[in-house]
Amino acid sequence: MQDEVMFLDCPEYLDAHSTERCGLPAEVEDRYTMRSSDGPLDSAKIRCPRGHWFNGPLESLIWASPQTRTRPAHDGRLAARSDAAR
C-alpha cells in the first residue's frame, strides 16, 4: 500500500497586520495523535517551501480562505507554532 501525501495551505502570516497569509502548499511531514482533556486530537507537523513550519492539532493548522472566513483574521491559530520556529 502506498502512503498518501497530504498538503495543507500554509497558515503563516506574511504581514504585520495579520491580513496576508503565505498559502503555499505545506506538506504534512508527520501525523500523530495528541492526548487532551477533551479526548484525542489528530495532529501534524507541516512545512511549506518557504520554510514555515507548524506543529499541532490539525484543526489549528487549517484556515479558511478570505472568501469563506467567518472569524477574525487572527484567532489564535498561530499558537500551534513551535517557539523554535520563531
Side-chain angles (χ1 to χ4, degrees):
M1 182 176 172
Q2 187 178 16
D3 289 332
E4 185 177 321
V5 177
M6 182 176 166
F7 292 91
L8 301 175
D9 292 333
C10 179
E12 177 68 38
Y13 285 106
L14 296 178
D15 64 349
H17 304 291
S18 300
T19 57
E20 185 180 348
R21 299 269 194 158
C22 173
L24 289 175
E27 183 176 1
V28 175
E29 294 183 345
D30 188 25
R31 286 187 71 168
Y32 55 94
T33 302
M34 290 175 46
R35 293 186 306 193
S36 76
S37 57
D38 290 333
L41 295 172
D42 191 18
S43 303
K45 177 182 177 184
I46 64 172
R47 183 181 310 269
C48 86
R50 285 190 177 136
H52 305 133
W53 65 274
F54 296 85
N55 194 30
L58 278 176
E59 67 183 32
S60 70
L61 300 175
I62 298 171
W63 56 279
S65 67
Q67 293 82 14
T68 60
R69 185 179 297 138
T70 57
R71 292 184 279 190
H74 181 69
D75 60 0
R77 289 186 188 137
L78 292 180
R81 184 175 184 185
S82 168
D83 288 337
R86 294 178 188 198

